[in-house]
C-alpha cells in the first residue's frame, strides 16, 4: 500500500494564511465585477456581519466602537458583491527541477506546488472559484475552475503528480489560457521567470485586462553563488554546459544576476503586474505575505 502524499502546506503556514485575502488589484472600489452575488466573507465591499476576534485577524478589522461598548473584540466581516475566479498558471518546465546542493529534495517545483496550494487555500476560505493550468514541454494541463473541498482535492492531486520537464511550449499550444481566463479573473503565475515566453504571456494577459500576479522562485545558490572551485553549470532545458571557476566569475555573475532581476521587476511593473521574488530558504508563504499582506491586498 502506497504511503499518502505529504501535505502541500505545513501546519504553521496554514495558520498564517488565515490573515490573508486574495483581493484583485483592479477591483478596488468597483461594483458589478461579476454576474452573481458572492457569499464569501472577508475584507470586502459591503458590511455583512460581526464575529469574535481570532488570532491572526488584522487589527484594522476590529470595530473599536463596539469594543468600547462591550469590552470584547469583534471583527467586521464584509461580503463581496461578486465572486472571484483565481487561476494558477504554474511553470513545470525542466528548469523548475533545480534545487540547492544543501537541500536536493526541495526543488523549485516542490516550492511552486506548495505555494500553489497556499493560493488554493486562500481562494477556498474566501469561497471563490479556482483552477489550475500547468505548463511544461508536454503543453498545458488544465483543471477547470471550480469551488469547494472536492475542487481543492482535484488540484492537490494534479499538483502532486506534476513533473518538471521540457521547455516552454509554442504559443499556439496555450490556447486554453485565453479560452478559460475571464476578463475579471485573478491570475497567479508561479515560475522561475527565466522563460521569455512565460514573461511575455504574463504581459499579454495584463495588457488584455487580466489581473496578474507573478511569483518568481529562485534557489539560494542563484542568490548567493557560493561556488569557489571549478564547477560544471548545466542548463536543464537545453543541456548546454559551462565549465568555470566559481571564485573568478562570482562578482560578474552577481552583478549580472542583480541587473536581470531589476530588469524583470521594471518590466512587470510597467505592465501593471504585481511581482515578488522568493528564494528556497524562505517560508513558502513569504511571497504571498508580501503581495497580499499589504494594506488593500497589494493594490
Amino acid at each position: 500500500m502506497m504511503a499518502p502524499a505529504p501535505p502541500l502546506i505545513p501546519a504553521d503556514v496554514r495558520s498564517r494564511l488565515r490573515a490573508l485575502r486574495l483581493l484583485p488589484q483592479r477591483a478596488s472600489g468597483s461594483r458589478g465585477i461579476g454576474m452573481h452575488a458572492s457569499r464569501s466573507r472577508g475584507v470586502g465591499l459591503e458590511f455583512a456581519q460581526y464575529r469574535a476576534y481570532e488570532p491572526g485577524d488584522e487589527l484594522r478589522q476590529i470595530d473599536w466602537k463596539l469594543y468600547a461598548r462591550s469590552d470584547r473584540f469583534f471583527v467586521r466581516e464584509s461580503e463581496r458583491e461578486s465572486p472571484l475566479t483565481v487561476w494558477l498558471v504554474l511553470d513545470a518546465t525542466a528548469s523548475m527541477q533545480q534545487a540547492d546542493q544543501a537541500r536536493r529534495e526541495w526543488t523549485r517545483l516542490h516550492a511552486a506546488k506548495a505555494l500553489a496550494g497556499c493560493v488554493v487555500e486562500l481562494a477556498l476560505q474566501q469561497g471563490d472559484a479556482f483552477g489550475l493550468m500547468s505548463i511544461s514541454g508536454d503543453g498545458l494541463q488544465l483543471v477547470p475552475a471550480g469551488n469547494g473541498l472536492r475542487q481543492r482535492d482535484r488540484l492537490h492531486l494534479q499538483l502532486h503528480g506534476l513533473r518538471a520537464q521540457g521547455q516552454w511550449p509554442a504559443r499556439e499550444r496555450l490556447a486554453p489560457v485565453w479560452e478559460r481566463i475571464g476578463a475579471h479573473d485573478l491570475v497567479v503565475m508561479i515560475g522561475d521567470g527565466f522563460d521569455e515566453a512565460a514573461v511575455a504571456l504574463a504581459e499579454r494577459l495584463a495588457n488584455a485586462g487580466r489581473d496578474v500576479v507573478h511569483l518568481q522562485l529562485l534557489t539560494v545558490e542563484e542568490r548567493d553563488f557560493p561556488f569557489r572551485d571549478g564547477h560544471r553549470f548545466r542548463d536543464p532545458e537545453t543541456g548546454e554546459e559551462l565549465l568555470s571557476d566559481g571564485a573568478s566569475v562570482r562578482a560578474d555573475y552577481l552583478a549580472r544576476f542583480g541587473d536581470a532581476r531589476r530588469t524583470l521587476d521594471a518590466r512587470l511593473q510597467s505592465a501593471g503586474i504585481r511581482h515578488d521574488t522568493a528564494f528556497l530558504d524562505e517560508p513558502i508563504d513569504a511571497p504571498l505575505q508580501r503581495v497580499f499582506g499589504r494594506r488593500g491586498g497589494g493594490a
Side-chain angles (χ1 to χ4, degrees):
M1 184 175 179
M2 292 181 60
L8 282 175
I9 310 173
D12 61 324
V13 173
R14 187 179 296 276
S15 66
R16 292 196 297 267
L17 294 177
R18 297 181 57 225
L20 297 183
R21 300 293 184 271
L22 293 175
L23 292 181
Q25 183 169 233
R26 294 185 174 90
S28 180
S30 63
R31 298 175 67 87
I33 299 168
M35 295 290 290
H36 306 287
S38 171
R39 295 182 180 177
S40 62
R41 290 183 168 85
V43 182
L45 297 176
E46 295 191 356
F47 173 71
Q49 67 176 16
Y50 288 105
R51 64 168 171 79
Y53 173 85
E54 296 176 354
D57 287 331
E58 297 179 51
L59 293 180
R60 64 189 176 93
Q61 292 178 255
I62 295 176
D63 190 308
W64 296 104
K65 292 182 179 179
L66 187 58
Y67 168 73
R69 296 197 301 268
S70 66
D71 200 34
R72 294 177 60 192
F73 291 108
F74 289 94
V75 170
R76 292 173 59 91
E77 284 198 323
S78 300
E79 187 169 54
R80 284 177 293 134
E81 288 190 347
S82 56
L84 180 68
T85 297
V86 182
W87 283 101
L88 283 153
V89 179
L90 189 64
D91 182 354
T93 57
S95 61
M96 292 295 288
Q97 68 188 3
Q98 183 69 33
D100 294 302
Q101 292 184 8
R103 194 183 179 190
R104 293 183 180 275
E105 79 285 354
W106 184 245
T107 67
R108 269 198 284 257
L109 186 62
H110 285 111
K113 291 178 181 182
L115 186 53
C118 290
V119 175
V120 166
E121 203 64 26
L122 291 175
L124 182 68
Q125 72 184 20
Q126 295 180 184
D128 290 324
F130 46 95
L132 171 67
M133 298 180 182
S134 55
I135 301 174
S136 69
D138 289 337
L140 185 149
Q141 297 182 34
L142 171 71
V143 178
N147 302 78
L149 294 174
R150 293 186 65 181
Q151 175 71 357
R152 180 182 65 180
D153 293 343
R154 292 187 195 99
L155 262 71
H156 280 198
L157 184 63
Q158 182 75 8
L159 289 169
H160 277 300
L162 280 182
R163 299 292 180 268
Q165 56 185 343
Q167 300 183 40
W168 194 267
R171 183 171 177 175
E172 57 268 17
R173 300 184 67 184
L174 302 181
V177 171
W178 303 102
E179 296 168 355
R180 298 279 182 163
I181 298 178
H184 301 291
D185 295 348
L186 173 63
V187 183
V188 180
M189 299 187 66
I190 304 175
D192 55 29
F194 292 153
D195 289 291
E196 165 61 26
V199 179
L201 175 61
E203 290 175 319
R204 290 198 300 273
L205 285 166
N207 291 336
R210 276 59 172 175
D211 192 351
V212 182
V213 174
H214 186 276
L215 303 178
Q216 182 183 36
L217 292 172
L218 299 175
T219 67
V220 176
E221 292 170 352
E222 286 167 328
R223 180 191 66 200
D224 300 340
F225 203 79
F227 311 105
R228 291 291 182 267
D229 302 320
H231 201 84
R232 184 189 301 272
F233 301 95
R234 181 177 181 275
D235 187 323
E237 294 188 9
T238 66
E240 294 181 7
E241 293 186 347
L242 172 67
L243 292 174
S244 182
D245 177 67
S248 65
V249 301
R250 184 173 188 270
D252 182 62
Y253 164 82
L254 291 176
R256 290 173 179 268
F257 182 63
D259 288 342
R261 288 187 59 196
R262 286 187 289 273
T263 297
L264 179 61
D265 289 347
R267 182 175 172 182
L268 294 174
Q269 184 177 9
S270 69
I273 297 171
R274 287 177 282 179
H275 170 62
D276 189 77
T277 297
F279 296 90
L280 296 191
D281 60 348
E282 292 186 272
I284 194 57
D285 60 321
L288 296 177
Q289 298 290 343
R290 288 191 287 262
V291 173
F292 295 107
R294 304 166 187 160
R295 183 169 183 171

